[in-house]
């Protein structure tokens, strides 16, 4: 333990964060965190505070930072509305297993429960959407709370934590010394691996003729990407990725058969339905992946590997439960694994991919050459970026096109809101991602609806000179809702039509170079201009109004009931 020194609680908080390696905080000041911000003035050389334009922008930026770096994202807000504005991002991080430490100010302890100005019970509000939360009422609790918060946020299955600090705790003096947390009684974040499970799994895999690996985000969270490749290659087993697992395997790897789920690839979904063995690693069998549970994978035994025991047998009853870290399990599974020739199995995948290319109209440019399609924009971007950019999406059609047609050659390169599906996530998350990996190209793909939910963060990009590339696919619709209205509600387009401003002009008002494209013949040059721009660049693309994302598995339908066009 370090030597003690006498400091105020607010300074103890900053010193604790620095001890945990924090060098960037996303936040917004207010009355109940002024003491923290006052001390932050003296720590500007050690902590880069990014002033966002809204607290929701701060938490999403922290998410983006965490997702691309693997580090804990940190955000901060004042009490009351400042704290409640974090809630959406905290819930998003909980569902997507993103490690965050969220710090909120609170009214003085003597005013708790009195409905004081800007008092809100953020502890009760966030209890269901955090791994742990804690209200600090004394300066003596600060260092221990921070240590515990970081340990919980990043251990086991990662997730968000929240520390609510009363104002009196911020201004009290305390003898400060910091001790990192490395253990909590009754909490075993990384389960011990049972070798007997590996033997059983290998026996099942060696017996299978048509196995498939379903790779979730747990692969990336465990740093198990190389272990996954080695395991798959050792057994010559195809790999499909969930939405959150995208980029855990390079798209051009010969064993990669695409993405799973509602808007996934035909090969990945059909192989699931025809497989005799599914090896699911670090994924949770969400409804968007499985479709109708009664008809899901009817011929397959299932091995499920997950670090969170609560996910095992939660949605799908499986043959073999493996409560383990993904990397530990995959490395153990390699031992005794037999290589099998699976020519027929991969031929099946190739045939299904060819079917998709033939039937999915939206995977090519407008046949008449009069309109730009969203799919075309994403495909051209992937080529221009040489599959090496970090792609961050918002939610909706832009998200699904981004997932389907982007290409990746390294991990932690696809960032999106998976479980909660939060519109407005894209821009601030991409901002945080770019600050997390400044040497990488980061491109944010958004729709016109989601962009307008958090577009005020253009101000943060301007003020901090963040070199983020942005593309808005503008169809003047809430596109995904409109698609559902078209397909399932007799084209009754109820309140999904948007009258939009000129987004490129708005970006220019923030000092961000911009371009607006309406003609297909101008698209390639516009994307080249975006890629070549030395700093931030904003591209608005006017796209086909009623383009749909296909194939599609209707909600609650079998994965075999694919829709290929309207």
């Amino acid at each position: 333990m370090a030597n003690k020194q006498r400091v105020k609680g607010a300074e103890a908080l900053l010193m604790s964060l620095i001890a945990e390696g924090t060098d960037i905080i996303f936040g917004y000041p207010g009355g109940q965190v002024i003491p923290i911000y006052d001390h932050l003035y003296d720590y500007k050389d050690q902590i880069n505070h990014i002033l966002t334009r809204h607290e929701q922008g701060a938490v999403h930026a922290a998410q983006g930072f965490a997702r691309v770096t693997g580090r804990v994202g940190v955000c901060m807000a004042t009490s009351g509305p400042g704290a409640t504005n974090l809630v959406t991002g905290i819930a998003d991080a909980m569902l997507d297993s993103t490690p965050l430490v969220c710090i909120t100010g609170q009214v003085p302890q003597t005013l708790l429960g009195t409905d004081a100005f800007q008092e809100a019970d953020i502890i009760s509000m966030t209890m269901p959407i955090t791994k742990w939360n804690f209200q600090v009422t004394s300066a003596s609790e600060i260092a221990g709370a921070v240590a515990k918060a970081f340990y919980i946020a990043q251990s086991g299955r990662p997730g968000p934590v929240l520390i609510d600090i009363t104002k009196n705790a911020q201004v009290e003096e305390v003898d400060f010394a910091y001790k990192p947390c490395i253990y909590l009684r009754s909490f075993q974040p990384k389960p011990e691996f049972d070798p007997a499970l590996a033997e059983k799994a290998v026996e099942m895999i060696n017996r299978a003729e048509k196995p498939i690996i379903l790779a979730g985000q747990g692969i990336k969270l465990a740093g198990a990407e190389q272990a996954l490749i080695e395991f798959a290659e050792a057994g010559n087993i195809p790999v499909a990725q969930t939405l959150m697992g995208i980029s855990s395997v390079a798209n051009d790897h010969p064993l990669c058969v695409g993405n799973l789920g509602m808007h996934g690839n035909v090969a990945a979904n059909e192989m699931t339905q025809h497989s005799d063995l599914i090896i699911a690693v670090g994924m949770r069998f969400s409804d968007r992946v499985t479709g109708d549970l009664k008809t899901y994978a009817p011929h397959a035994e299932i091995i499920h590997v997950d670090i969170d025991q609560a996910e095992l047998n939660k949605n799908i009853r499986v043959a073999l439960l493996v409560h383990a870290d993904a990397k530990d399990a995959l490395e153990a599974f390699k031992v005794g694994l037999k290589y099998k020739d699976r020519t027929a199995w991969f031929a099946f995948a190739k045939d299904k991919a060819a079917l998709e290319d033939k039937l999915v109209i939206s995977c090519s440019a407008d046949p008449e050459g009069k309109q730009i399609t969203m799919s075309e924009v994403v495909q051209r971007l992937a080529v221009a970026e040489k599959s090496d950019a970090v792609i961050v999406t918002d939610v909706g059609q832009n998200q699904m096109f981004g997932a389907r047609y982007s290409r990746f050659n390294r991990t932690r390169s696809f960032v999106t809101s998976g479980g909660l599906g939060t519109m407005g996530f894209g821009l601030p998350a991409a901002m945080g991602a770019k600050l997390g990996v400044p040497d990488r190209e980061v491109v944010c793909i958004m729709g016109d609806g989601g962009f307008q939910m958090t577009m005020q963060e253009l101000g943060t990009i301007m003020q901090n000179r963040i070199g983020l590339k942005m593309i808005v696919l503008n169809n003047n619709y809430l596109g995904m809702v409109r698609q559902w209205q078209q397909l399932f509600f007799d084209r009754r387009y109820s309140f999904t039509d948007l009258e939009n401003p000129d987004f490129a002009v708005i970006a220019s008002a923030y000092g961000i170079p911009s371009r607006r494209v309406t003609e297909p013949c101008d698209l390639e040059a516009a994307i080249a201009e975006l890629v070549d721009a030395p700093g931030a660049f904003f591209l608005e693309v006017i796209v086909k109004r009623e383009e749909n994302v296909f194939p599609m598995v209707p909600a609650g339908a079998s994965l075999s009931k694919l829709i290929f066009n309207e």
Side-chain angles (χ1 to χ4, degrees), residues 266 355-356 359-362 550-552 562-566:
V266 176
L355 176 67
E356 181 173 336
L359 295 180
V360 180
I361 299 169
S362 62
F550 291 119
M552 178 183 184
L562 290 167
I563 299 174
F564 287 97
N565 55 55
E566 55 265 31

Side-chain angles (χ1 to χ4, degrees), residues 87 267 531:
V87 168
V531 171

Side-chain angles (χ1 to χ4, degrees), residues 6-13 16 109 134 136-146 165-177:
R6 194 76 175 170
V7 298
K8 289 189 175 180
E11 188 170 9
L13 171 67
S16 299
Q109 183 181 16
F134 183 72
V136 170
T137 58
S138 168
S140 62
E141 298 173 313
I142 289 175
V146 172
I165 309 177
T166 60
K167 197 168 187 178
N168 62 285
Q170 298 171 39
V171 298
E172 293 170 358
E173 289 192 345
V174 63
D175 290 327
F176 174 78

Side-chain angles (χ1 to χ4, degrees), residues 214-523:
L214 309 186
Q217 188 188 204
I219 296 292
K220 291 185 275 188
L221 296 175
E225 295 91 342
Q226 186 58 37
L228 171 65
I229 293 297
E230 291 175 1
F231 165 66
E233 290 177 345
N236 195 28
I237 305 171
V239 181
Q241 302 174 101
T242 67
L243 180 70
M244 297 297 292
I246 291 174
S247 80
S248 58
V249 178
N251 291 97
D252 61 0
H253 192 285
L255 296 180
C256 182
V257 294
N259 305 333
L260 296 158
M262 178 175 281
H263 290 290
N265 295 106
V266 176
N269 284 333
E270 286 289 350
M271 292 177 84
T272 299
Q273 295 301 86
H274 287 80
S275 173
D276 59 3
L277 179 68
I278 287 173
I279 307 135
V281 187
M283 54 87 74
R284 57 188 180 87
F285 290 108
S286 79
D287 60 297
R288 285 300 197 256
V289 164
T290 64
D292 180 10
L293 291 174
K294 295 177 182 177
T295 61
Y296 179 73
H299 311 293
E301 289 188 296
I302 299 175
I303 300 170
H304 189 188
V305 180
D306 206 284
I307 200 166
D308 184 356
Q309 193 163 27
E311 293 295 345
L312 301 174
N313 270 344
K314 184 177 81 172
N315 296 332
I316 294 285
R317 303 295 295 182
V318 305
L320 183 63
L321 306 174
V322 183
H323 182 211
D325 174 81
K327 187 176 182 180
D328 290 348
L330 290 170
E331 288 179 342
F333 288 177
K334 284 187 300 182
V335 180
L337 191 62
K338 296 177 181 178
Y339 183 93
K340 276 191 177 182
D341 177 66
R342 305 191 196 275
T343 302
W345 190 217
F346 282 101
F348 178 87
K350 187 175 181 180
D351 288 346
K352 295 302 179 182
L355 176 67
E356 181 173 336
D357 289 341
K358 178 182 178 181
L359 295 180
V360 180
I361 299 169
S362 62
C363 70
S364 60
D366 176 27
E368 297 180 5
K370 295 180 180 179
Q371 302 178 83
I372 302 172
T373 62
M374 288 184 271
S375 49
E376 182 184 10
V377 175
V378 178
Q379 289 179 90
R380 287 186 179 273
L381 176 67
V383 172
E385 293 288 4
K386 300 180 175 62
S387 306
D388 198 44
V390 173
I391 301 296
V392 183
T393 78
D394 206 83
V395 167
Q397 288 184 319
N398 67 89
Q399 177 186 33
M400 295 300 106
F401 280 117
R404 287 182 55 81
Y405 298 117
S406 296
R407 293 292 177 264
F408 305 100
N409 58 27
R410 51 174 156 164
T411 190
R412 292 190 178 271
S413 294
F414 183 70
V415 178
T416 197
S417 171
L420 200 63
T422 304
M423 288 181 67
F425 172 88
L427 184 62
M431 190 172 68
K434 180 61 179 177
L435 289 167
V437 286
D439 295 334
R440 292 195 67 186
E441 179 89 310
V442 178
V443 184
C444 183
I445 299 173
M446 299 168 280
D448 45 316
F451 172 59
Q452 290 182 88
M453 288 191 170
T454 51
M455 69 180 183
Q456 68 273 2
E457 297 308 330
L458 290 174
T460 309
I461 293 167
M462 173 183 67
Q463 183 169 347
N464 293 278
R465 308 295 188 266
I466 301 171
L468 176 65
K469 308 297 176 63
M470 296 156 277
I471 299 177
V472 169
L473 304 174
N474 183 0
N475 59 8
N476 291 101
Y477 269 125
L478 298 176
M480 187 59 84
V481 182
R482 184 213 55 77
Q483 177 171 334
W484 281 52
Q485 289 174 337
Q486 175 185 335
L487 298 176
F488 311 118
F489 293 88
D490 298 323
R491 294 180 181 265
R492 289 162 59 87
Y493 294 165
S494 180
F495 300 101
T496 46
D497 185 277
L498 293 174
E499 184 174 332
N500 293 324
D502 188 325
F503 295 130
V505 170
I506 291 174
S508 296
Y510 282 97
I512 298 171
S514 64
R515 182 168 174 175
R516 191 171 193 258
V517 176
T518 60
E519 300 297 328
C521 60
D522 297 326
L523 179 61

